Each structure stands twice: as structure tokens, then as C-alpha cells.
Amino acid sequence: MLEAHHLLQEEKLESLGMARKPKLHYFNGRGRMESIRWLLAAAGVEFEEELFETREEFEKRIQEGILMYEQVPMVEIDGMNLVETGAILRYLAAKYDLYGRNLQEQAWIDMYVEGLKDLSDMIMFFPLSLPGEKKMNLEYILERATTRFFPVYEKALRDHEQDFLVGDQLSWADTQLLEVILMAEECKPSVLAGFPLLQEFKARISYIPTIRKFLQPGSQRKPPLDEGSIETVKNIFKFERGMFLKNMGTIVAEY
Amino acid sequence: MVEIDGMKLVQTRSILHYIADKHHLFGKDLKERTLIDMYVEGTLDLLELIIMHPFLKPDDQQKEVVNMAQKAIIRYFPVFEKVLRDHGQRFLVGNQLSLADVILLQTILALEEKIPNILSAFPHLQEFTVKISNIPTIKKFLEPGSKKKPPPDDIYVRTVYNIFMP
């Protein structure tokens, strides 16, 4: 009953043109929420954030019953509490016309973003490496980026000679690729050295007004994890060091 | 990789979504689709543990079965049990078969191979398992001679290693 009432409120607000802004629930860092921030920003959608610093604040949300699998990211939007990063991103991409014009284009966008997720997961978990593993993991990340992933996107741009990855219009695939390029450059500034079209792509997509705004200081974009933030994240989610290899699943099978 | 409609689709989720969309297993609108998406993603997190299990070190494998059971019973099954109990319908979303039902059934059956009584506290999921298994297309797939693959064995593990880690 409570949910129905809540939904009615939401619809009333929407009909009055006063729809609430999406509200993001996460810790104060990039993690898995950052791609969601990117997509909302690129679509020009203003959003609010409820960022927690402690385990207690996280557990409070679990107690409130608003996290389907007791996990975050969670985004309150359109009367729903959306969870699971992929599901959230796909909802936003569809809602804001960043998911292609038809099923075929959607499949291409899906393939590109799923590939990029493999790479961005590696970079995301890198700060959780054990000190002795750091150099090896970094080399592995850069090797994968430059031999498996970037060549795919360079080729896509070379083959169709268009400004965007899919369907000659901005899509989630473009924002995801830009995000991952910038993350990779934080690992190694010259990582795009062999990829002239990706360099142009980076400049071009960064220049889109909504994205340019997101890339400026003062936006809701989060900085990379530093030693202090790692401790906070560890305490909230009870991570361990050495989780890099543990989380790399199928990727480690080739390592 | 799946060759379909002139494309070579890769990435499990891309393939699943394309097929679900094409064959009307993804709900009737964006909201239903997103609900299905959330259920599928949760279930796939659990299925991932099952898929990776044969590749763990033998010493870790037994511990991981306990972990899988805990995750299923504490985190995932209660969600779907509640969904089914609350709306009283046969399918998880929109009163029609969707990708969410198929993936959940797959995961339940795979878990039951390792932990036979995993559904003992979940009467609605037990009923769900029976009802979805009896859908003609699915029933056919569950019979011997179909393209469903058997549980992983040592030959499977060795083959995967040889191909992907020569």
C-alpha cells in the first residue's frame, strides 16, 4: 500500500512538471556509481546524491529495506528504487535516448559497454591490490587496454568514420568509452599513443557542452580513490586488500 | 559468441538481452523491462558463483558451496519468494514468461545439483520451479537429448584451461 501511495505522489509531481530529481545512494567515490553519474550528466539531467561515510549509514539503508539485494549503487527515480549497475544504466540510457534507435544499434551499444566494463572493473579494483602486486597488475591493465580493448574501438571509428561509436549519434557507448579512456590515462597518461582516432574521439566527446560541464571542477564527478578513501570504502563494504585477483573472475583465467 | 541476424554477438548480457527483446521475453514496457533486468542481474551474480566454482582450488571448493548457499538463502531467494508471494502470479514480472523466470530456473536447478534442499524454506520458489519446468519449451529442454549441457566435470575443466590458458 505504501508503495502505491508513493508512486501516486511521484506521478502527481511529474504531471505538475515538478518531478523529483533522481537520487543516487553510494559512498563518496567513483566505484560502480561513476558510470551512472556520467550518463546522467551527459543527458543533462540534474541529480541529488546521498553519500555515506560509515558502515552504520550503509546498514541503515539495508534496514530501511530500500536495497533489493542489500547492495549499492541504488538510484531512486520515477517511483522506483533501482539497483544493479547494468540495470540502472540501461534504464537511464533508454529513458534519455542514449540507447540507439533500434534493437540492432542497442546490441552494438551493449557489446561495446560490456567490453568496457571488463576494463573499467580492472582499473576500479586496482587500488585494492596488495603492495607487492601493484606493478604487475598495472602492467596487466595497460596491456589489456592497449591490445584487447582500445583496438576494437579504434577500428570501429576507423571503419565507419563517424563521430560517434554507434548510429551516428551520441549514445551510452560514447560516454562509457570516454570515461574509461580518462581512467586509463590516470594510470598512464600516454596510453592513447597508438590510437589517433581515439585521441580525436576523446577531444570531440569532451567538448559536448553537458560533458564539458561534468569535466570541470565543481561538478559531481568524483576523484580517483586515494589512500584515505580506500580505508573508508574498506570499512563500509568490508573489503580486503588483495581483492584485485579475487574479483577478476574470467579475466584472471587468462592471466 | 552467437551468430544471429547477420551479427556476431559477444558478451553474455548483450546476447541475452538481444534474444529476450526479439522474442518478447523482456516485458511490455520500460518499467517491466527494468524490473526483469534487476532480477536477472541479481540472479546472474549468484549464477556466476556456480560457473566459477569448478575452477577454484579443490581446497576452496567446499567452502565456496557454503558461501553460495548462504548468498542464495539470505540475499537472493528471499527477494524472489516475496515477489511471487506478493502478486500470487506464476511468473516473476507482468504475468508472462520473461528472461527473469528462465535465468532464475536455470540458477535454482544448478544450485540444487550441489545443494539438493536449497529451496526447503521457499515454498513459492518450489512451486515456481515446478510450474516453469513444465512449460512445454522448457520441459523439452530439460529432457535428455536436448542441447542443455551436463554439470561440469574434470574433462570440462581441463578443456577450458587448455583453450583459454594454453
Side-chain angles (χ1 to χ4, degrees):
Chain A
M1 280 308 281
L2 262 167
E3 249 191 46
H5 174 72
H6 179 74
L7 241 127
L8 201 58
Q9 290 276 62
E10 193 63 44
E11 281 162 2
K12 275 189 192 154
L13 286 172
E14 275 190 31
S15 70
L16 289 170
M18 286 164 49
R20 270 186 292 202
K21 295 178 188 171
K23 193 186 281 185
L24 278 49
H25 294 256
Y26 208 56
F27 74 94
N28 189 3
R30 288 181 178 175
R32 296 203 181 286
M33 187 61 97
E34 194 72 352
S35 298
I36 293 165
R37 298 182 181 110
W38 268 90
L39 198 53
L40 285 167
V45 176
E46 286 182 21
F47 57 92
E48 291 170 358
E49 296 194 88
E50 283 206 12
L51 304 172
F52 44 85
E53 297 280 311
T54 64
R55 174 101 198 144
E56 288 69 40
E57 289 173 83
F58 177 46
E59 282 176 354
K60 183 157 160 285
R61 280 168 179 77
I62 294 175
Q63 254 100 62
E64 285 168 10
I66 58 176
L67 304 178
M68 184 182 284
Y69 305 115
E70 302 186 352
Q71 291 173 317
V72 284
M74 190 273 270
V75 175
E76 290 181 66
I77 183 170
D78 299 335
M80 300 179 288
N81 292 335
L82 296 185
V83 296
E84 294 289 346
T85 314
I88 298 168
L89 286 166
R90 285 186 283 272
Y91 179 76
L92 296 175
K95 186 181 160 117
Y96 298 116
D97 285 317
L98 293 167
Y99 215 175
R101 283 180 209 86
N102 54 47
L103 195 51
Q104 244 79 351
E105 288 188 358
Q106 188 181 277
W108 280 103
I109 292 166
D110 270 342
M111 287 196 280
Y112 289 152
V113 301
E114 286 293 313
L116 286 165
K117 178 179 187 286
D118 288 346
L119 180 55
S120 78
D121 272 4
M122 275 191 258
I123 301 175
M124 182 176 62
F125 280 109
F126 174 68
L128 292 173
S129 306
L130 293 166
E133 292 170 358
K134 275 206 144 92
K135 183 166 179 292
M136 177 177 74
N137 291 343
L138 183 60
E139 278 170 11
Y140 179 68
I141 288 170
L142 294 170
E143 187 264 343
R144 296 275 83 188
T146 55
T147 63
R148 167 165 292 188
F149 295 103
F150 288 167
V152 171
Y153 308 109
E154 180 82 4
K155 180 179 192 300
L157 293 168
R158 190 171 58 238
D159 285 352
H160 62 42
E161 292 175 336
Q162 290 167 1
D163 284 354
F164 305 100
L165 277 173
V166 180
D168 213 5
Q169 62 180 14
L170 183 71
S171 78
W172 169 26
D174 303 300
T175 62
Q176 195 70 72
L177 177 55
L178 177 59
E179 181 190 354
V180 175
I181 283 173
L182 295 178
M183 283 168 81
E185 284 183 332
E186 281 165 359
C187 294
K188 183 179 176 189
S190 61
V191 75
L192 284 191
F195 305 98
L197 295 177
L198 286 180
Q199 291 172 36
E200 282 175 29
F201 172 87
K202 174 194 160 189
R204 197 163 57 233
I205 305 301
S206 300
Y207 198 67
I208 292 170
T210 48
I211 294 175
R212 195 164 78 222
K213 192 167 164 213
F214 187 62
L215 291 172
Q216 279 161 2
S219 81
Q220 282 157 302
R221 186 173 182 229
K222 301 293 175 277
L225 225 47
D226 59 22
E227 277 304 315
S229 324
I230 293 176
E231 283 309 304
T232 306
V233 174
K234 270 178 60 192
N235 290 333
I236 296 174
F237 298 114
K238 302 198 167 155
F239 281 167
E240 313 138 30
R241 293 270 180 187
M243 274 188 75
F244 180 84
L245 285 181
K246 266 195 208 175
N247 273 282
M248 290 300 102
T250 49
I251 298 164
V252 170
E254 301 169 28
Y255 184 40
Chain B
M1 188 273 271
V2 174
E3 293 179 70
I4 183 171
D5 298 337
M7 296 180 292
K8 292 179 165 50
L9 294 184
V10 296
Q11 295 289 349
T12 310
R13 276 161 181 78
S14 310
I15 300 166
L16 284 172
H17 293 160
Y18 183 80
I19 295 170
D21 249 312
K22 187 176 173 187
H23 295 283
H24 308 295
L25 291 170
F26 224 163
K28 68 172 194 295
D29 57 26
L30 184 56
K31 283 210 167 169
E32 279 193 358
R33 185 206 168 97
T34 301
L35 209 49
I36 292 166
D37 207 343
M38 287 196 284
Y39 296 160
V40 168
E41 285 296 309
T43 312
L44 285 176
D45 282 349
L46 188 53
L47 186 60
E48 180 79 10
L49 299 178
I50 300 167
I51 292 171
M52 292 310 296
H53 185 256
F55 300 99
L56 296 173
K57 290 195 214 113
D59 293 338
D60 292 333
Q61 281 189 6
Q62 189 44 44
K63 219 172 38 166
E64 184 63 10
V65 173
V66 174
N67 178 42
M68 270 185 230
Q70 280 178 342
K71 287 247 153 66
I73 291 169
I74 297 172
R75 176 172 289 182
Y76 296 107
F77 286 172
V79 174
F80 306 122
E81 179 79 6
K82 183 177 193 302
V83 167
L84 293 168
R85 188 176 62 238
D86 285 354
H87 64 41
Q89 291 166 2
R90 190 153 54 120
F91 305 102
L92 283 169
V93 179
N95 215 9
Q96 63 180 7
L97 184 70
S98 76
L99 183 62
D101 304 301
V102 176
I103 300 287
L104 181 56
L105 178 65
Q106 177 196 359
T107 304
I108 286 172
L109 295 178
L111 272 171
E112 281 183 334
E113 280 165 4
K114 297 198 185 329
I115 310 153
N117 61 348
I118 190 90
L119 285 187
S120 55
F122 303 99
H124 291 89
L125 284 177
Q126 289 175 35
E127 210 183 309
F128 171 87
T129 303
V130 172
K131 285 188 173 154
I132 305 301
S133 299
N134 278 324
I135 290 169
T137 47
I138 294 176
K139 189 154 172 221
K140 194 167 161 206
F141 188 64
L142 291 173
E143 280 161 6
S146 83
K147 293 207 173 86
K148 184 172 190 285
K149 299 296 170 270
D153 57 15
D154 287 333
I155 297 175
Y156 164 78
V157 175
R158 243 181 292 137
T159 308
V160 171
Y161 274 127
N162 287 340
I163 296 173
F164 295 109
M165 278 177 56

